Amino acid sequence: MGGLRLLAVALTCCWWPQGSQGKTLRGHFSSVAARDAQGQSIGHFEFHGDHALLCVRISNTAAAVGKEAKLYLFQAQEWLTLQESSHGYSCSEKLSKAQLTMAMNQTEHNLTVSQIPHPQTWHVFYADKYTCKDDYENSQVEDIQFEMMLLNPDAEGNPLDHFSAGESGLHEFFFLLVLVYFVMACIYAQSLWQAVKKGGPMHMILKVLTTALLSQAASALANYMHFSSYSRDGIGVPFMGSLAEFFDIASQIQMLYLLLSLCMGWTIVRMKKSQSRPLQWDSTPASTGIAVFIVITQSILLLWEQFEDPGHHSYYSHHNLAGILLILLRICLALSLGCGLYQIITVERSTLKREFYTTFAKGCILWFLCHPVLACISVIFSDYQRDKVITIGVILCQSVSMVILYRLFLSHSLYWEVSSLSSVTLPLTISSGHKSRPHF
């Protein structure tokens, strides 16, 4: 497990996408880029409400006036229709179909995007008088440096909110999540630390489970810090966003390895040995090899997904091939582990053992299937809500899955009855003079 963790950390640190700039954009309006692409793409934003605002500042007003520089705003659906149209619109015809246009003839410009019936994505493009010309005699014209802020109305109707419609509420969600982690740490940290320190037959399971939980908590904290800064300047701390992704991937890897090792161990034990040690962590070459192969496969897919869509932080996107393959992998894992545990449960005579395995199966299936199920459910929501629904839903479901597993492996009565190793001191035994009680 240590080698696998080291490999995951090395891969993640050496091959990691840069965070997005957020909704305060800085760069250069380029005539060359605009001509090559029939309009330079500046960014996109999900506006909502009646007083959304686009604010842009430029450094060279004279150059902008000389080039007849303009910004063009297209609704996402309209732009997609133009791109897919078979009419073969010319460059000037495409630009003429923009819903909003803003000429840049002064240092600062404000454009109000109002009367939006429901949140929708708008694409912002730059073009000037050279964009639709075929000659290249003015290819070396000066670029214009700019800073652009894209703002939505806040609760009082003032255009001060840097969050797009699809991101609204995430800042508050991560604040509450961090608060819950802090409260739970204050209540359970000491007893959990004692359980891990005492060792025993469940030591490795508790150690990996706790490491995965700490990774999730660190991801939530990094996301909160990023969004807190983002709410003030529209940029945030891209490094913290990437760090949140790193901890999220680390948690996914550790939980996958834990669940696979346990399930593969039980399956191989049932095939090759007696059931005298059904809850031992199995480390045979076969189970370890299968678990490591699947973990590496998921790690590659997670990293691939981040490079395909580096703009999101801790979003469980499925808009690209890597995201779809991840969903398929999780469905296959859930079905495989579910079938294996079902076979164990059906032949088990002990009621307590069946209860133990059933609860473990619920935790496994919830962990693996929450993402695919939420991805399917999200189609009933509007486009701007889908990623947010998946993100919040997956985090909550996987947190519940961890609670189920903690309660299971820290339960004195279930573990004592199910494990044939009951003569060994349990992780939560405080002293031999009296029985311990579960802390969850």
Side-chain angles (χ1 to χ4, degrees):
M1 181 65 181
L4 187 65
R5 285 182 188 168
L6 194 58
L7 174 63
V9 171
L11 280 173
T12 308
C13 290
C14 295
W15 187 27
W16 195 252
Q18 297 299 316
S20 64
Q21 283 189 303
K23 296 305 176 289
T24 296
L25 308 175
R26 298 187 178 102
H28 293 83
F29 293 134
S30 169
S31 296
V32 176
R35 185 178 57 242
D36 291 343
Q38 295 187 349
Q40 180 187 2
S41 177
I42 305 302
H44 60 86
F45 192 68
E46 291 166 338
F47 289 109
H48 67 81
D50 291 331
H51 301 288
L53 183 68
L54 183 152
C55 177
V56 60
R57 299 183 183 95
I58 58 176
S59 60
N60 192 334
T61 305
V65 172
K67 294 195 295 183
E68 299 176 9
K70 293 181 180 180
L71 290 180
Y72 296 84
L73 275 71
F74 294 84
Q75 292 179 3
Q77 189 60 46
E78 179 66 22
W79 179 251
L80 183 63
T81 301
L82 287 174
Q83 295 296 94
E84 296 177 348
S85 174
S86 59
H87 293 293
Y89 292 109
S90 66
C91 170
S92 57
E93 287 175 333
K94 283 185 179 179
L95 293 177
S96 67
K97 292 185 178 296
Q99 280 74 35
L100 294 172
T101 305
M102 182 174 68
M104 290 185 290
N105 50 21
Q106 53 189 4
T107 303
E108 182 171 337
H109 302 76
N110 293 321
L111 176 64
T112 300
V113 185
S114 60
Q115 297 180 350
I116 303 175
H118 54 82
Q120 52 189 304
T121 302
W122 289 70
H123 293 274
V124 183
F125 292 88
Y126 165 80
D128 54 38
K129 67 180 183 180
Y130 303 117
T131 299
C132 296
K133 289 184 177 181
D134 295 329
D135 63 273
Y136 291 83
E137 61 184 50
N138 294 298
S139 59
Q140 300 301 321
V141 292
E142 182 181 356
D143 291 346
I144 302 171
Q145 187 175 358
F146 74 89
E147 179 183 80
M148 181 184 297
M149 288 190 295
L150 302 163
L151 300 166
N152 274 319
D154 57 16
E156 298 177 355
N158 300 314
L160 301 172
D161 186 4
H162 291 280
F163 292 102
S164 69
E167 298 165 331
S168 62
L170 288 177
H171 182 205
E172 293 79 4
F173 168 74
F174 283 112
F175 168 75
L176 292 175
L177 189 62
V178 170
L179 181 62
V180 169
Y181 277 126
F182 176 75
V183 172
M184 297 296 286
C186 292
I187 298 174
Y188 297 113
Q190 183 177 1
S191 57
L192 186 58
W193 174 246
Q194 291 175 352
V196 174
K197 279 181 62 178
K198 287 188 177 181
M202 307 302 282
H203 174 260
M204 180 59 75
I205 296 174
L206 290 176
K207 185 178 178 181
V208 177
L209 191 58
T210 302
T211 304
L213 179 62
L214 290 176
S215 297
Q216 274 203 338
S219 176
L221 179 60
N223 265 318
Y224 172 67
M225 294 174 67
H226 168 67
F227 281 119
S228 292
S229 177
Y230 187 100
S231 66
R232 294 189 294 271
D233 58 18
I235 298 175
V237 186
F239 170 75
M240 295 306 296
S242 296
L243 193 64
E245 289 285 7
F246 169 79
F247 283 121
D248 186 51
I249 288 180
S251 175
Q252 299 290 328
I253 291 173
Q254 291 158 354
M255 283 298 296
L256 178 61
Y257 189 84
L258 168 66
L259 299 178
L260 284 176
S261 297
L262 289 172
C263 291
M264 289 302 303
W266 289 338
T267 302
I268 291 175
V269 163
R270 292 184 63 83
M271 290 190 300
K272 294 185 177 180
K273 306 173 186 177
S274 68
Q275 298 184 49
S276 59
R277 296 163 70 87
L279 294 183
Q280 278 292 83
W281 180 288
D282 184 80
S283 58
T284 61
S287 65
T288 302
I290 294 173
V292 168
F293 173 76
I294 296 176
V295 166
I296 291 177
T297 300
Q298 175 173 279
S299 302
I300 293 173
L301 289 176
L302 285 167
L303 291 171
W304 180 12
E305 182 189 21
Q306 297 310 309
F307 274 86
E308 287 288 322
D309 187 9
H312 72 268
H313 294 294
S314 288
Y315 282 25
Y316 295 81
S317 173
H318 57 282
H319 306 307
N320 50 51
L321 179 59
I324 294 172
L325 291 176
L326 268 173
I327 288 179
L328 293 177
L329 175 63
R330 285 165 177 158
I331 292 174
C332 292
L333 287 172
L335 292 175
S336 176
L337 299 182
C339 290
L341 289 169
Y342 177 76
Q343 293 176 358
I344 294 175
I345 293 169
T346 52
V347 299
E348 184 57 64
R349 296 181 180 181
S350 169
T351 302
L352 280 174
K353 288 185 179 181
R354 284 201 304 271
E355 181 184 347
F356 184 92
Y357 291 128
T358 301
T359 305
F360 181 78
K362 291 177 182 177
C364 286
I365 292 173
L366 179 60
W367 180 272
F368 288 121
L369 282 187
C370 62
H371 184 196
V373 170
L374 285 167
C376 294
I377 293 175
S378 68
V379 299
I380 68 176
F381 292 90
S382 302
D383 289 344
Y384 73 94
Q385 294 177 318
R386 289 174 186 171
D387 282 341
K388 186 163 54 177
V389 167
I390 295 174
T391 299
I392 295 175
V394 169
I395 292 175
L396 292 178
C397 288
Q398 291 188 344
S399 298
V400 171
S401 176
M402 282 190 169
V403 171
I404 291 173
L405 294 175
Y406 263 120
R407 288 177 58 87
L408 188 65
F409 292 117
L410 291 176
S411 171
H412 187 162
S413 58
L414 269 180
Y415 175 69
W416 185 271
E417 294 295 335
V418 175
S419 177
S420 60
L421 303 174
S422 56
S423 58
V424 181
T425 301
L426 291 177
L428 291 186
T429 300
I430 297 176
S431 67
S432 58
H434 61 279
K435 294 183 179 179
S436 66
R437 299 182 65 182
H439 291 268
F440 285 81

